[in-house]
Every structure is written in C-alpha cells, then in structure tokens.
Amino acid sequence: MTKFVYDFTEGNKNLKDLLGGKGANLSEMTNLGLPVPPGFTITTEACRHYLTEGELPGGLDTEIDAHLDALEEAMGKRLGQADDPLLISVRSGAKYSMPGMMDTVLNIGLNDQSVEGLTKQAGNERFAWDSYRRLIQMFGKTVLDVDGDLFEEALDELKHAKSTTNDLDLEAADFRALVETYKGIVREQTGRDFPSNPREQMDLAVKAVFDSWNSDRAILYRRQERIPTDLGTAVNICTMVFGNLGMDSGTGVAFTRDPASGHQGIYGDYLQNAQGEDVVAGIRNTVALADLEGIDKTSYDQLLTIMERLENHYRDLCDIEFTVERGKLWMLQTRVGKRTAGAAFRIAIQLVDQGMIELDEAVDRVTGDQLAQLMFPRFDDGADKKQIAKGMNASPGAAVGKVVFSSEAAVAAAARGEHVILVRRETTPDDLTGMIAAQGILTSRGGKTSHAAVVARGMGKTCVCGAEDIEVDVKGRVAQAGDVTVNEGDIISIDGTSGLVYLGEVPVSSSPVVQYFEGTLKAEDGDELVQAVHRIMTHADAAARLTVRANADNPEDSARARRFGATGIGLCRTEHMFLGERRQLIEDLILAESTAERIAALEALKPMQREDFHGILKEMDGQPVTVRLIDPPLHEFLPDFTELSVKVALAGDDADPKDRKLLECVHRLHEQNPMLGLRGVRLGLVIPGLFAMQVRAIAEAAADRVGEGGDPRPEIMIPLVGSIQELEHARDEALQVIADVAQETGVSVTTLIGTMIELPRAALTAGQIAEAADFFSFGTNDLTQTTWGFSRDDVEASFFSRYLDLGIFGVSPFETLDREGVGRLVRIAVEEGRKTRPGLKLGVCGEHGGDPDSVHFFHEVGLDYVSCSPFRVPVARLEAGRAAIETAGSDSR
Ligand code: ADP
Ligand code: MG
Ligand code: MG
C-alpha cells in the first residue's frame, strides 16, 4: 500500500518531490540532530490524489491517526487536550518554494477549553489568548475564506481604542474580547461557528492547504516561474513552539550569507515576543540578527553554530526560520536560499575557493537567466541625480518608470506599454500581478526578507525596500520624501544595487559584465563578480560540446557577436539588407516587365549585397558565416495596400503611373496566408535570377576576401525547403554560379550549401534532403508555427494566455522548444539526416537557440551548434557548458 505520511525522522532532503522542500528539509534537520519540533509530513502524492479525484486517498485517515497518536505519545499530551493541549501548525510546502503562496495555520488545537489549559501551563494568560485569536484569524482567512481585512480591521480598532499602534500594548483581556469579535466575524461571514474540535480543525486545514495549490496566486506564481501545475503540495504537521511567550522568546529569519551580495556574515532579522509571520509582515520593527547576541547569547551562539553546520552540510547558502521559546532555540525551516543573480555567481566561486565544491558544480549552480540579468544596464555613475531616499538594496538592477501606487494601476499602465515603478508601504501576495507588470518595486517598510524583497529577487526584478524616508499614502496616491512630493505618474529611478531612489529619469550605462564580454574590461581588472563570471564562463566553454553562433545581419552585430564569444554566424538574414533606400530596387525588381528590366534591377542590387557580405565575412574571418537567401514574401517590400489605394484614388487622373502599377502589383501579390505562400525557396525557383544574384554576391565577396589575404567561410542556406527536388534546383543553380565566379576570379572558396529544416515535411524526409545538403539548420520558429499550425503573430496575443491557464502548455512553445512535438521532428531529422550523410553539420537558428531549456535539448539530440542573437551568446555558451556537465554527471552516476 502507498505510504502517504512520513514522520520527520523518516524523510531526507532528497525527497523533495514527495515531501516538498519544507518537509524534506525538516526531516534532514531532524536527522542531523538539530532541534526541530517533532511532526510529520503528508505527501504530495496524497495532494495529487485529492486534487484529481476530489477526495482524500483511502487509508490516509488511518495513517494520519497513527502518526498523530505517536506524536501525542511522544509529547505526553493530546491535540487540544483541555488541561494541557498539544498544539500544532499545518504548513504547506511544495517541491519549489513559493513564497507567500500557500498559507500556514498556527496554533491548531485551541478552543474555549484548551485556551484555559494553555494559560495555566504557560502561566501566561495574554499569550494563550493571543495565540487563540491568531488561530481564528489565520484559520478564518485561509481555511474558511473569510476576508482577512475584517480581522485586521477589528485588531486595528482595538488598538485604536487603546490609543496604541503596538500590539505589545494589548493585554489578555483585549485578546479575550478580540476572540469573541473574531468568532462573530466567522459566524457572520460563513454562517457557521468556528470549529472547536481540534481534529476537525486539523483536517480542514490539511484540505485547505491542498486546495491552496490551485489558488489564483499560486497559479500565477507557477506560471511566472515555470513551475509545472501538477506537482501538488505536501502538508507538514509540526508541533508548535512559541515565540510569543514573552520578551525571552521571539522569532526570526536568517541567511548564512547575504542573498544580495553573497558575502558571508550574520544576515537576518529577529523580533522578540512574536509568532510566525510577524517578522516578515512588518507589524513591528525587527532588530538585526546580530542584536540577538545581546538579547540571548546562548541561543545566538547555538544558532550560529547550526548555521555553519547547515552551510557545510548543504554546501550552499541556506535560509532559516527559527523561534526562541523561553531561551530554547528551535529550527522551523531551512532551504537552499534564493539569491540574486550576482550572488549566485559570487557564491559559486567562493565555495570553489573554500574547497566546498568543484568548478563543474559551480557552473551547474548558475543559470543562463541569471547571467542575462547581470547583463542589464546600470545607472550612470557620472549622471546628474536627485536622490530622494535610501532603502535596502533588496534586488539589484536599475529601473526607471512612472510611479503607481496599486497593482491595478501597474497592470493597466503596463498594458499601455508604459514602464512603471510599483510603490507600496509593503507588498502582499495580492500584489503579485503588479510586481510582474512593474519595472521595479519600492516599499517604505520591511527588510531584506520582506515579501517584496523575497518575491522580487525570485523574479529577478529590481527592488528597493524599507525606504523609511518615504511616506507612502496609497489611498491619496501620493508619496512624500522629505520635502519632495511624488504623485502618481511622476517618474522615479530606483537602484536595487545601492538601495538609492532618485527623482526623475537617471540615464543608464552598461553593466561591468557586459564590458567584460565586450573586452573593454579585462577580467583581472574587474570586481569579484566579473572575475566569478570569467572563471565560470571559461570552465563552461571548456566543457561545452555545442558551439555557439550568432544571428547577425551586419558587420557591427557580427563584431559584437564575436566579442561575446560567438564562433560563427548561424543566421545572416538577407532581407534586412533590402530595407530603407534599397526597398526601391526591390520594387523595381518586382515591377520589371521584361527580362532586361529584371536583370537591370538585379544588377543594381548585387554590388550592395556584395559589400554587405564582404563586411560580414571580414568581421567573421576564419569562422563560418551562414547566409540565408531571401525568405519573406516580396509584397513585404511593397507599400501598404490600403495606403496606396487611397493615394491613387485621391490623385484620380493625376495618379503617378508607377503608383498605379505598384497598386496593381500589390493587389496581385496579395496572399491569404503569406506565411504559407510565395516565400523562401519558392521565390528562388519562381523569380529567375534572384537567388543567383545573391549567391554571386556571396561568392564574389568571398573571393575579394581571399584577395585581401582573408579566410572567408561562407555557407549558403536555402530557406523553407519541403522536398529534396526544391533543394536540388536551388543547389544546382548555386553551384553553377560559384563555379562561374571561381573561374572569373581564379579563386575557389569552399562554400557549403545547406538548408533550413522548418517544415514538418522537411524533417520527415530529412534522409532524402541530406543527399543535397551539406548542413541542416533548424528554423525552430517556423517549425513551431508549421507543426502546431500556429501563426505566431496571431495566436500569441489572442489566446495563448487561455492556453496557459488551461495548462495546454506550461510555457509558450515559441519561448521554449516543445520537445514532444517539434522536438520529435528535430530528432527524426537529426537521425535520418546523419544516416544519409554522417558528417552532416547540424545547428539551430530559431530564437530557441538562446533559450536555456531548449539549449539543453539541442545538446541532448546532438546538434553541433546553436545560434542566437549576439546579446544572448554568453547565455547560450553558459547553458551549453551546463548541458555538457549535466549529461556527463548523469552518465557517471
Ligand atoms: P511559509 O512557507 O509561508 O514560510 P511556514 O509554514 O514556514 O510558511 O510558516 C509560517 C510562519 O509560521 C513561519 O514564520 C514559521 O516559522 C512559523 N511556524 C510554522 N510552524 C510553526 C511551529 N510549529 N511553531 C512555531 N512557529 C511556526
Ligand atoms: Mg517558512
Ligand atoms: Mg523561417
């Protein structure tokens, strides 16, 4: 029979799939002999069963009974026992931590009787009633779905009546009264009494945790973080320990290193006489963790020892939740902590230098997405800035935007394409939509562990928190920073690296990491971060099997790509070369009525193309340059049909004859589905001389380069081929032109001729096509369009969000390659192509070439290279290295 419940002594940190992160780590700490309150975990498997079947799995109840009995036995008291109650927390915990997404209920087991027992046992009436009201509040909100504000308002009213804002000024009698008020709220809102039966409380809470997996907030967060929707959450039942027993008690959070910089030290917050979320909720001001030394040295020393032990054990930065109950330290949670991108690189290298991990693992511990973040621009050092406040540097980056005070405003502005900074006193999980929509987040309260800080770091979003010099009036939509008034719509700039806030727009400059890639900053002259990036990139390059090329259409981009570590160009689009003034020449070509006119038009284009290719081949000397012959339908180069019609109609009899001709042509070339129309190789076969002109320009440019002593390596790529016959026609023509040029110039340049694989038919007949192709390059954008039958521009805006909601895919197939469908076609083409031609060169030139997840797939199927935009080249290099290291790791395991 399936085991659905694990005691904390039974699990370990590797069981995250089953026990969730929190449960697995509670077990791990228990087994390390650390002071963890006893408890047990109900598995994610039970949750999945509950979510799919609508009822708890059979046998779960009995299993829970047995574990609860054992817990009660060990603690010497029963759940909710009237004279001496065992109290528990019911805590969610999925495989991936989802901050603030799923709510925990504390103090389960309290009711009108057991609260008296707790009072006697603790000798503290205030504490017992405070705990009881917290239970009703949390239970009411998370389990019974009562609007949490109602409880908050009642609490505020009570404080107001006592003329205080500090919950420490409330006394036992106040909490007694509050319990009655809260019970009333529950009755009024739900039509039932607050459940007094302890076991019923527990069972309802367990179900509520399971249900919370599908709360809107959880769904949104998962989508943002690309967490699969079907994992489910585990539930942890944990004996309560109390940080709200008096000033000798308290609760805190800590990091073994600074999650923003990576530096070792004592980082965290502590709050005396407080329970659970009080620390991060910002209800009172916390003290720095270091101050705990003065408050309770024994607990402090013990905590530091445990933190060191955890870091050595996990060999990584850990974050920790703990509680001190009357001088006794309890560990309530640990996990490998989230960190900023910069800290990820620094920590990885610090750990290498401390001998804790190898370089391979360091490469594995950072991601391409993190590297991409480090390449974001920063504020100009030299710029004129008006600083209006300073807060905590919670999540790095430089963000500029209009101030908005609500998530709704942020979402609305983002929909209009505006950049905004979300300014709040503090954020709550309800602000998630606004945080996603904003460029950056600024709060006036809360520390580095506040909701805003944690979530922003997770999203890689710039955040300054706890900027106390700013008075935020959300209702009035205004903020006051000293004598500066900031209204909604005013522009501010926030620096998440320094914590500084500026009025107005501050210009930004490139990041040192980009300067390093550009070569303007040498690794050895760089700071700790640049050196860490350098060491990790060097190791990744050495490990990688995939090489990385760039998509570039001009010499400047080619040069940058090369500086960024590209070893060739995987896609040089020639149509971009026909824009601007040259559009005229393409018009002439299209309008040509005689062979002579057509030849004249092509002759006019050729020298320009030749110059384009010459520049690119020069920048990429010694490296392959794949030039794709013209791909888009020709009418893309013609004026807009409606505009032209209006122009001709308005001019009446005086209309320019060329305009008339053009209009006729635009009309004739109009297609219902241009994506599937006259484009790619079809153009080459239908318009005589077009491909030949391009091939000639390439061949002549290459010959010029040889004449200059260069080493050109052109590769000619035929787009949108669906059958070998198409490719053969195009190839024969190209070979002839190349031979002609060789004869004319006396220089013969090796030129590969290959094709894109971007139609399902091409993939399925790759074995034949390979007979006429020196290389394949997977055009995964079009291959995704044609495999799914999606016209990208039409579908993304119209219904992709619905598809994501329905879980039809977890992430757009245009962002990350769809392995089962499109990927399968890639696999078939790789296998059959190589069977025909063992040395066939294989690459990918769609946008997926710069997507970390897709890069791993391309490594797996055995491509030779990926190609992506120049700025993504470092990301792809890193992921290529990571993919190789991961495969090597799993092979030897
Ligand atoms: P989250 O995932 O939101 O951090 P947790 O389950 O960790 O939720 O719990 C919320 C808060 O309650 C945390 O501060 C945690 O330390 C505290 N807490 C949870 N269980 C207990 C317990 N058994 N005793 C005391 N505090 C607890
Ligand atoms: Mg927690
Ligand atoms: Mg294409």
Side-chain angles (χ1 to χ4, degrees), residues 662-814:
L662 262 178
L663 181 62
E664 191 266 318
C665 203
V666 174
H667 190 68
R668 182 162 42 80
L669 289 178
H670 173 78
E671 291 173 319
Q672 295 295 339
N673 284 310
M675 187 189 102
L676 303 176
L678 179 57
R679 51 171 288 214
V681 67
R682 303 163 193 172
L683 275 178
L685 302 185
V686 168
I687 302 191
L690 179 56
F691 273 12
M693 177 278 289
Q694 290 197 297
V695 172
R696 182 167 267 280
I698 296 167
E700 289 180 0
D704 291 347
R705 285 295 303 145
V706 172
E708 294 160 17
D711 176 12
R713 312 235 172 135
E715 303 181 344
I716 292 172
M717 178 155 80
I718 318 287
L720 214 75
V721 162
S723 81
I724 181 164
Q725 288 83 359
E726 287 171 313
L727 181 60
E728 276 171 347
H729 281 294
R731 181 187 173 89
D732 289 347
E733 183 185 28
L735 285 173
Q736 186 57 52
V737 173
I738 292 169
D740 289 350
V741 172
Q743 193 157 37
E744 288 158 26
T745 58
V747 180
S748 150
V749 179
T750 311
T751 307
L752 302 186
I753 299 178
T755 182
M756 291 186 78
I757 301 288
E758 52 187 340
L759 294 174
R761 193 178 191 287
L764 295 171
T765 59
Q768 294 170 22
I769 292 179
E771 284 167 22
D774 298 320
F775 65 87
F776 286 170
S777 175
F778 292 93
T780 51
N781 295 347
D782 270 329
L783 191 56
T784 301
Q785 295 203 90
T786 52
T787 300
W788 280 87
F790 282 154
S791 155
R792 178 174 187 172
D793 294 339
D794 296 319
V795 297
E796 275 188 332
S798 68
F799 64 81
F800 261 32
S801 67
R802 178 74 184 136
Y803 265 40
L804 290 162
D805 284 344
L806 290 172
I808 292 172
F809 29 68
V811 45
S812 158
F814 292 107

Side-chain angles (χ1 to χ4, degrees), residues 22 91 321 333:
K22 197 180 288 169
R91 318 170 63 186
E321 288 175 8
Q333 190 177 327

Side-chain angles (χ1 to χ4, degrees), residues 592-637:
E593 279 174 347
S594 65
T595 310
E597 275 177 31
R598 198 185 59 243
I599 291 174
L602 287 169
E603 279 303 314
L605 275 166
K606 200 195 70 182
M608 299 179 177
Q609 284 264 274
R610 177 170 167 171
E611 196 186 312
D612 297 329
F613 298 134
H614 178 266
I616 294 169
L617 288 169
K618 185 170 174 194
E619 289 299 345
M620 296 307 283
D621 199 52
Q623 298 194 341
V625 174
T626 308
V627 180
R628 178 177 73 184
L629 302 186
I630 190 163
D631 181 42
L634 289 184
H635 53 77
E636 284 195 8
F637 299 99

Side-chain angles (χ1 to χ4, degrees), residues 59-217:
L60 176 61
D61 238 13
T62 349
E63 247 188 285
I64 293 179
D65 283 343
H67 278 86
L68 187 59
D69 280 347
L71 185 63
E72 291 174 334
E73 185 96 358
M75 302 304 294
K77 42 186 165 187
R78 303 198 69 81
L79 180 66
Q81 182 178 315
D83 59 344
D84 184 9
L86 168 68
L87 301 184
I88 53 158
S89 60
V90 172
R91 318 170 63 186
S92 62
K95 175 175 181 184
Y96 302 104
S97 93
M98 297 164 62
M101 289 299 104
M102 309 226 208
D103 291 314
T104 286
V105 183
L106 304 179
N107 307 329
I108 284 193
L110 281 175
N111 53 29
D112 292 349
Q113 288 76 47
S114 60
V115 69
E116 305 291 356
L118 185 65
T119 303
K120 281 209 200 70
Q121 291 298 330
N124 186 334
E125 186 187 2
R126 178 190 185 278
F127 150 75
W129 286 89
D130 178 34
S131 303
Y132 192 15
R133 69 92 191 168
R134 286 171 189 265
L135 169 64
I136 304 175
Q137 184 168 357
M138 281 185 269
F139 195 94
K141 188 174 167 209
T142 45
V143 182
L144 303 175
D145 258 346
V146 177
D147 179 0
D149 287 347
L150 296 174
F151 298 113
E152 285 298 341
E153 281 159 17
L155 179 59
D156 282 345
E157 258 169 48
L158 184 65
K159 285 192 211 166
H160 191 71
K162 305 251 324 183
S163 313
T164 181
T165 55
N166 190 338
D167 52 325
L168 291 182
D169 292 334
L170 299 179
E171 294 159 25
D174 299 318
F175 287 124
R176 261 182 202 274
L178 195 57
V179 163
E180 281 316 306
T181 315
Y182 277 6
K183 282 190 193 163
I185 294 175
V186 168
R187 209 173 301 122
E188 199 163 288
Q189 299 294 316
T190 67
R192 61 162 291 181
D193 283 328
F194 174 74
S196 60
N197 180 320
R199 181 60 199 267
E200 187 189 0
Q201 291 173 358
M202 177 177 132
D203 291 343
L204 288 174
V206 169
K207 276 197 189 161
V209 170
F210 283 166
D211 284 327
S212 75
W213 177 259
N214 282 330
S215 70
D216 291 346
R217 268 157 32 193

Side-chain angles (χ1 to χ4, degrees), residues 22 91-92 104 253 277 319-321 332-335:
K22 197 180 288 169
R91 318 170 63 186
S92 62
T104 286
V253 294
E277 305 278 68
D319 72 24
I320 289 161
E321 288 175 8
L332 288 172
Q333 190 177 327
T334 192
R335 66 186 162 202

Side-chain angles (χ1 to χ4, degrees), residues 142-426:
T142 45
V143 182
L144 303 175
D145 258 346
V146 177
D147 179 0
D149 287 347
L150 296 174
F151 298 113
E152 285 298 341
E153 281 159 17
L155 179 59
D156 282 345
E157 258 169 48
L158 184 65
K159 285 192 211 166
H160 191 71
K162 305 251 324 183
S163 313
T164 181
T165 55
N166 190 338
D167 52 325
L168 291 182
D169 292 334
L170 299 179
E171 294 159 25
D174 299 318
F175 287 124
R176 261 182 202 274
L178 195 57
V179 163
E180 281 316 306
T181 315
Y182 277 6
K183 282 190 193 163
I185 294 175
V186 168
R187 209 173 301 122
E188 199 163 288
Q189 299 294 316
T190 67
R192 61 162 291 181
D193 283 328
F194 174 74
S196 60
N197 180 320
R199 181 60 199 267
E200 187 189 0
Q201 291 173 358
M202 177 177 132
D203 291 343
L204 288 174
V206 169
K207 276 197 189 161
V209 170
F210 283 166
D211 284 327
S212 75
W213 177 259
N214 282 330
S215 70
D216 291 346
R217 268 157 32 193
I219 291 170
L220 182 64
Y221 185 84
R222 286 200 293 271
R223 192 191 297 168
Q224 175 84 11
E225 298 295 312
R226 298 184 178 189
I227 296 172
T229 54
D230 55 359
L231 299 177
T233 178
V235 183
N236 302 289
I237 308 290
C238 185
T239 307
M240 283 303 299
V241 291
F242 299 100
N244 54 339
L245 266 169
M247 296 308 272
D248 57 352
S249 305
T251 181
V253 294
F255 294 92
T256 58
R257 288 165 194 256
D258 184 345
S261 75
H263 295 139
Q264 271 181 305
I266 316 288
Y267 297 93
D269 303 292
Y270 184 70
L271 191 58
Q272 280 170 277
N273 199 5
Q275 187 173 53
E277 305 278 68
D278 294 355
V279 187
V280 286
I283 57 155
R284 269 185 273 139
N285 278 335
T286 54
V287 299
L289 183 60
D291 294 347
L292 177 59
E293 184 169 20
I295 297 168
D296 178 350
K297 180 146 171 53
T298 318
S299 297
Y300 178 78
D301 289 344
Q302 194 190 353
L303 180 65
L304 256 48
T305 313
I306 290 177
M307 279 164 64
E308 194 183 329
R309 179 121 184 253
L310 285 174
E311 190 166 285
N312 288 331
H313 183 71
Y314 284 87
R315 299 178 304 123
D316 208 341
L317 173 153
C318 295
D319 72 24
I320 289 161
E321 288 175 8
F322 66 95
T323 278
V324 177
E325 177 180 314
R326 292 194 167 145
K328 161 119 181 78
L329 175 70
W330 290 100
M331 302 302 293
L332 288 172
Q333 190 177 327
T334 192
R335 66 186 162 202
V336 168
K338 296 199 173 180
R339 64 206 67 190
T340 62
F345 278 81
R346 278 188 292 246
I347 291 174
I349 286 298
Q350 286 163 13
L351 293 175
V352 168
D353 290 340
Q354 288 174 20
M356 282 211 252
I357 61 174
E358 300 289 327
L359 262 172
D360 267 4
E361 187 160 359
V363 170
D364 194 40
R365 282 193 184 184
V366 294
T367 67
D369 284 335
Q370 287 170 332
L371 182 62
Q373 276 182 42
L374 297 179
M375 295 170 68
F376 290 143
R378 322 201 151 175
F379 288 132
D380 256 344
D381 286 338
D384 232 2
K385 308 191 255 286
K386 179 171 169 60
Q387 182 184 328
I388 52 170
K390 178 169 172 40
M392 267 175 259
N393 51 337
S395 182
V400 181
K402 290 185 181 170
V403 169
V404 290
F405 292 104
S406 69
S407 284
E408 296 80 64
V411 170
R416 291 192 298 269
E418 291 174 11
H419 288 185
V420 294
I421 307 289
L422 178 64
V423 181
R424 305 281 289 168
R425 207 170 303 172
E426 57 215 330

